[in-house]
């Protein structure tokens, strides 16, 4: 299970910003859930804390019973690279590397040869409709193409936990469906999947939905008891 | 009128990419139209050419009868800063400047004092729901907040032509409505507005819609004859 226990995140300022306000969330293995809520409500902040990319001001994060928020950076980094695939709201692609190499980099710690990494990267890019753009650099791609490269890179290592921040924000319906198919497939293979989305249709298609409002979490639908 | 006449844009490569393929589009003063189409179909490329930010490989752009594609860079830059407000798909905010100063910079060539620029910037940010984030830097803002700063900056100088590339891509329904209200208000005041959007509801709410498919333009609804 992935669990936030009474997590708060406060940024200094006048007034201080309570980006997360006593958030508790337990996600069992293999769950698929949507995180919705207004712009600025704390969704990305919560996802970053759950993905060990940010530390809370108070409270703790547990992954399979280990209190991750107390681990040192090196152990933390091992947990993260082995298990968590993160799709960023801002993509963060390597500007000097092709789409193929950006995705192949997602396999650098998988112990496979460069040839294998590139083959798997090509398959993944094909699954999001980018088989014809493998050798383009990020600045030679459209907004939605870059987004799909970011999705492909996050998922190429079959992570057991997928944290996706607005993975279809710049996509038309067809590319959006391709991305959701990829997430559903991983889910059927046993991955735990959290998707931040502002698209109602996507949120409502998932078995569980939680909402962030002003840094606080509200369960909407589908929480197990 | 804003007019593309038989415009093509080809990027070298193997094979070459025909991002725009013999596109002709005439937009009269005061029109409000949506540009839709699949990811990678040429929407942003077309908008960049219309906004004089990119030159076509073939064909021409005319603004009020002047063949803009033949002007030198200095004249081009004058046309652009006086009349065109561009909302970028990737935001491009100044990282070291607050939301307030990013938007105030949109008024640098308007001949007003710094105090006036900052006052008008604050009003604009308030209209997109960011009155409480004026002094935050871009890296202290959420994805949707950054998007709204980019919208506010593009519109603060009351441009007569607004070219908006996915202005609501990262926004929840409430912020999305605030942005569309701002565009509708400018339209009622006489501006010409083009909006690239992948959201059906938004596209269908506008009086005219065109679609890009593989670099070619198709009129869907509402073109004047
Ligand atoms: N510098 C470049 N070199 C080669 N191809 C390019 C270059 N820039 C863009 N392209 C290609 O041109 C096509 C059109 O790009 P454009 O950004 O206009 O698409 P778009 O319709 O805005 O897509 P999206 O909805 O994903 O934002 C894309 O397929 C893209 O890969
Ligand atoms: N470094 C920071 N300093 C101060 N405030 C911050 C900082 N980073 C984020 N915030 C604020 O924290 C709040 C939550 O941000 P977060 O990115 O989690 O929102 P979000 O729900 O993902 O929004 P969106 O839907 O727009 O992406 C925002 O109001 C933002 O302005
Ligand atoms: Mg966010
Ligand atoms: Mg685009």
């Amino acid at each position: 299970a992935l669990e936030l226990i009474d997590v708060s995140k406060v940024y200094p300022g006048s007034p201080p910003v309570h980006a997360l306000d006593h958030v508790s969330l337990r996600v069992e293995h293999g769950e698929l859930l949507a995180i919705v809520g207004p712009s600025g409500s704390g969704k990305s902040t919560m996802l970053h804390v759950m993905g060990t990319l940010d530390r809370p001001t108070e409270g703790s994060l547990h992954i399979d019973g280990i209190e991750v928020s107390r681990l040192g950076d090196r152990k933390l980094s091992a947990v993260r690279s082995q298990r968590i695939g993160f799709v960023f709201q801002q993509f963060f692609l390597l500007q000097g590397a092709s789409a193929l190499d950006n995705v192949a980099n997602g396999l650098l710690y998988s112990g496979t040869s460069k040839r294998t990494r590139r083959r798997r990267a090509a398959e993944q890019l094909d699954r999001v409709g980018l088989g014809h753009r493998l050798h383009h650099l990020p600045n030679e791609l459209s907004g939605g193409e870059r987004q799909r490269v970011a999705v492909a890179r996050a998922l190429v290592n079959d992570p057991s936990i997928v944290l996706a921040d607005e993975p279809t924000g710049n996509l038309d319906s067809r590319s959006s469906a391709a991305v959701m198919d990829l997430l559903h497939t991983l889910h059927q293979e046993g991955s735990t999947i959290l998707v931040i989305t502002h698209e109602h249709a996507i949120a409502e298609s998932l078995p569980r939905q939680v909402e962030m409002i002003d840094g606080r979490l509200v369960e909407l639908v589908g929480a197990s008891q």
Side-chain angles (χ1 to χ4, degrees), chain A:
Chain A
L2 190 58
E3 187 165 18
L4 291 175
I5 299 178
D6 203 32
V7 161
S8 291
K9 179 79 186 179
V10 184
Y11 291 108
S14 40
V17 175
H18 291 260
L20 296 178
D21 190 0
H22 298 288
V23 173
S24 292
L25 175 67
R26 182 180 175 88
V27 182
E28 302 298 340
H29 277 297
E31 280 204 75
L32 170 55
L33 77 114
I35 299 163
V36 299
S39 174
S41 58
K43 305 179 297 296
S44 296
T45 303
M46 179 170 76
L47 211 70
H48 276 68
V49 171
M50 292 188 95
T52 75
L53 296 170
D54 204 1
R55 290 182 191 267
T57 315
E58 285 179 41
S60 56
L61 167 71
H62 298 246
I63 299 182
D64 295 338
I66 303 166
E67 188 177 352
V68 166
S69 33
R70 294 287 135 82
L71 292 182
D73 281 343
R74 204 148 41 99
K75 279 229 161 214
L76 208 59
S77 156
V79 167
R80 182 189 311 148
S81 63
Q82 283 163 22
R83 309 191 198 195
I84 300 175
F86 207 110
V87 183
F88 293 92
Q89 194 169 6
Q90 261 185 278
F91 319 163
F92 293 133
L93 302 180
L94 271 184
Q95 289 307 309
S98 66
L100 185 69
D101 286 333
N102 260 282
V103 178
N105 281 348
L107 288 166
L108 272 175
Y109 303 111
S110 63
T112 49
S113 69
K114 183 166 185 176
R115 172 185 227 121
T116 299
R117 294 200 295 275
R118 287 182 135 213
R119 179 180 53 72
R120 287 176 56 183
E123 288 168 3
Q124 196 78 341
L125 283 162
D126 196 57
R127 288 169 82 179
V128 292
L130 291 179
H132 63 318
R133 289 286 181 268
L134 301 183
H135 305 295
H136 282 235
L137 297 178
N139 68 358
E140 295 168 346
L141 292 173
S142 76
E145 289 169 343
R146 281 179 210 134
Q147 184 160 29
R148 285 180 277 159
V149 174
V151 169
R153 181 185 58 182
L155 307 186
V156 72
N157 201 17
D158 280 330
S160 52
I161 298 168
V162 177
L163 304 177
D165 199 342
E166 299 281 0
T168 65
N170 271 288
L171 302 180
D172 58 294
S173 48
R174 179 176 175 172
S175 306
S176 192
V179 165
M180 291 312 295
D181 279 351
L182 208 41
L183 292 177
H184 279 289
T185 299
L186 273 174
H187 179 235
Q188 280 152 22
E189 290 167 2
S191 294
T192 306
I193 314 225
L194 281 70
V195 184
I196 292 174
T197 181
H198 69 265
E199 305 210 29
H200 283 283
I202 290 178
E204 279 154 34
S205 72
L206 304 192
R208 181 180 175 191
Q209 298 149 42
V210 302
E211 182 167 15
M212 292 298 291
I213 303 182
D214 292 334
R216 292 183 311 281
L217 186 136
V218 177
E219 289 280 351
L220 292 180
V221 172
S224 53
Q225 290 318 320

